[in-house]
């Protein structure tokens, strides 16, 4: 083969590769910015897209599913190469996922799940095992209190996989301890403000928290709000009332280092890279992908909180 033809072939391949990398446009429908973890997740996805030369169309739904569905329809109308959805709740997704499928646009679900029987409506889901997070939080608390603990629970957003599954895992473990129970449980919608407000009401209803051994919060943001409420009720969070949570955001590591909180199960916010890996492979023709790609996180306690905070504070 003439050298010029080889070169032109190689050039065409290189051009195609560079164009496909530059031309990849992905629509991302994000829940909102209700927590420090969610913000880290969004920032991580945007940084990864920048690094890969992917054009990211980002939509913040302010925790409203109708805004997410509108955004996905807009991505379909714009003819993006792929769509990523971090669903606020599990139900209500079938119609718009069918529209994406009809438009032959692959969809990747990030973090919380969608409740659809037809698993061909999305390429894969990338998420942590929320049930296991609940189990680990509960087991730490049972070990810490020798299985003898009356617990207040701050639930996440009603209908969100993280709330449903963390509750499931936590309850599965404490069911084994007859001297432990959740005496009051209410949603704080994963936010700091609502977490404080709901904790104030629960403390009032529970004799200002006297006799309560621990707060179990489905995320650090609500726990941080609740810590303020515990202090205003005249109790020492982390001592009079233990605090166990999930996410592992920097502010919570600070609270543990200050003695105001006791433990958290870290939730990995870096979901962009695995999502883009799957999408880029799919766009190149790879059709082999697991339906669930699981991320993992460790449980952290006061013992290492100061050094862990130092590592995270700048990020
Ligand atoms: O724990 C919380 C955010 O869906 C697992 O959503 C996620 C949760 C996370 O609001 O901080």
């Amino acid at each position: 083969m003439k050298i010029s033809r080889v070169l032109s072939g190689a050039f065409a391949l290189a051009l195609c590769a560079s164009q496909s990398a530059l031309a990849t446009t992905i629509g991302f429908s994000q829940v909102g910015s209700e927590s420090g973890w969610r913000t880290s997740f969004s920032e991580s996805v945007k940084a990864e897209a920048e690094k890969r030369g992917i054009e990211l169309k980002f939509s913040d739904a302010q925790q409203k599913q109708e805004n997410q569905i509108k955004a996905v329809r807009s991505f379909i109308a714009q003819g993006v190469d792929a769509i990523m959805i971090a669903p606020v709740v599990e139900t209500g997704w079938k119609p718009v996922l069918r529209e994406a499928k009809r438009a032959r646009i692959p969809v990747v679900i990030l973090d919380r799940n969608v409740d659809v029987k037809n698993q061909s409506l999305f390429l894969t889901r990338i998420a942590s095992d929320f049930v296991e997070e609940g189990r680990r939080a509960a087991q730490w608390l049972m070990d810490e209190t020798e299985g003898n603990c009356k617990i207040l629970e701050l639930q996440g957003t009603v209908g969100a996989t993280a709330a449903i599954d963390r509750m499931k895992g936590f309850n599965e473990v404490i069911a084994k301890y007859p001297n432990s129970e959740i005496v009051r449980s209410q949603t704080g919608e994963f936010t700091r403000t609502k977490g404080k407000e709901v904790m104030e009401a629960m403390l009032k209803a529970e004799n200002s928290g006297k006799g309560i051994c621990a707060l179990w919060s489905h995320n650090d943001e609500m726990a941080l709000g609740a810590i303020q409420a515990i202090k205003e009720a005249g109790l020492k969070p982390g001592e009079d009332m233990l605090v166990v949570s999930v996410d592992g955001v920097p502010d919570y590591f600070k609270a543990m280092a200050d003695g105001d909180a006791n433990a958290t199960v870290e939730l990995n916010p870096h979901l962009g890279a695995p999502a883009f890996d799957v999408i880029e492979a799919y766009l190149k023709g790879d059709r082999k992908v697991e339906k669930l790609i699981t991320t993992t996180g460790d449980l952290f306690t006061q013992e290492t909180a100061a050094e862990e905070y130092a590592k995270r504070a700048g990020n």
Side-chain angles (χ1 to χ4, degrees):
M1 180 183 277
K2 269 194 184 164
I3 188 72
S4 57
R5 202 174 294 164
V6 168
L7 278 179
S8 62
F11 177 69
L13 267 179
L15 182 66
C16 168
S18 66
Q19 277 172 339
S20 68
L22 283 178
T24 305
T25 304
I26 297 175
F28 177 24
S29 169
Q30 177 59 294
V31 168
S33 51
E34 74 285 354
S35 73
W37 178 83
R38 182 74 53 188
T39 306
S40 302
F41 170 17
S42 297
E43 282 162 13
S44 170
V45 169
K46 289 174 185 171
E48 188 64 25
E50 178 89 23
K51 196 170 104 182
R52 297 183 186 215
I54 288 170
E55 187 195 344
L56 186 75
K57 293 179 179 294
F58 180 85
S59 160
D60 174 330
Q62 273 102 49
Q63 295 211 87
K64 291 185 175 63
Q65 184 177 34
E66 62 267 25
N67 291 344
Q68 289 202 278
I69 291 171
K70 264 191 225 136
V72 173
R73 287 198 164 118
S74 164
F75 297 149
I76 293 169
Q78 294 174 64
V80 297
D81 298 301
I83 293 170
M84 302 189 302
I85 303 174
V88 59
V89 293
E90 295 189 333
T91 52
W93 291 100
K94 193 169 153 188
V96 76
L97 289 175
R98 289 169 72 170
E99 290 164 32
K101 185 172 182 179
R102 271 199 295 276
R104 305 171 70 76
I105 299 175
V107 175
V108 171
I109 303 297
L110 299 180
D111 185 46
R112 303 174 192 175
N113 204 356
V114 291
D115 179 14
V116 292
K117 286 188 182 44
N118 180 354
Q119 296 284 294
S120 75
L121 289 176
F122 60 91
L123 205 49
T124 188
R125 173 177 171 235
I126 300 169
S128 171
D129 181 343
F130 302 135
V131 176
E132 184 55 24
E133 292 169 346
R135 290 192 193 105
R136 296 189 66 179
Q139 196 56 60
W140 174 85
L141 185 60
M142 292 300 101
D143 295 347
E144 197 68 18
T145 60
E146 292 167 359
N148 196 336
C149 193
K150 286 201 179 320
I151 305 156
L152 297 179
E153 178 181 37
L154 280 173
Q155 298 173 26
T157 302
V158 176
T161 316
I164 296 164
D165 286 2
R166 284 171 183 167
M167 185 186 287
K168 188 170 154 199
F170 192 93
N171 291 349
E172 184 188 288
V173 169
I174 61 163
K176 298 174 200 156
Y177 296 85
N179 295 329
S180 289
E181 62 170 330
I182 293 176
V183 294
R184 204 168 284 274
S185 176
Q186 199 176 327
T187 180
E189 295 167 12
F190 281 132
T191 70
R192 199 174 298 203
T193 310
K194 195 76 181 159
K196 180 173 190 286
E197 192 186 299
V198 169
M199 189 63 177
E200 284 163 351
M202 290 206 287
L203 288 169
K204 271 200 193 85
E206 287 294 332
N207 187 21
S208 298
K210 291 179 188 60
I212 297 296
C213 143
L215 165 68
W216 151 233
S217 177
H218 290 188
N219 83 331
D220 294 349
E221 216 63 45
M222 295 189 291
L224 290 163
I227 283 166
Q228 290 313 311
I230 295 168
K231 288 180 176 174
E232 288 166 12
L235 297 171
K236 286 195 189 65
E239 284 177 42
D240 300 332
M241 189 180 299
L242 300 177
V243 182
V244 58
S245 178
V246 189
D247 276 358
V249 296
D251 286 354
Y252 193 87
F253 277 101
K254 177 83 174 50
M256 287 199 287
D258 294 345
D260 290 340
N262 304 88
T264 188
V265 181
E266 187 174 36
L267 176 68
N268 181 345
H270 305 298
L271 305 182
F276 294 146
D277 287 346
V278 166
I279 290 169
E280 289 179 335
Y282 181 88
L283 294 176
K284 288 189 184 115
D286 181 351
R287 291 296 180 268
K288 290 183 311 308
V289 63
E290 297 294 321
K291 270 299 171 194
L292 175 63
I293 298 169
T294 307
T295 62
T296 55
D298 293 326
L299 181 134
F300 291 89
T301 61
Q302 285 180 354
E303 282 62 43
T304 60
E307 67 181 282
E308 291 298 336
Y309 175 64
K311 280 186 217 164
R312 290 161 170 78
N315 300 347

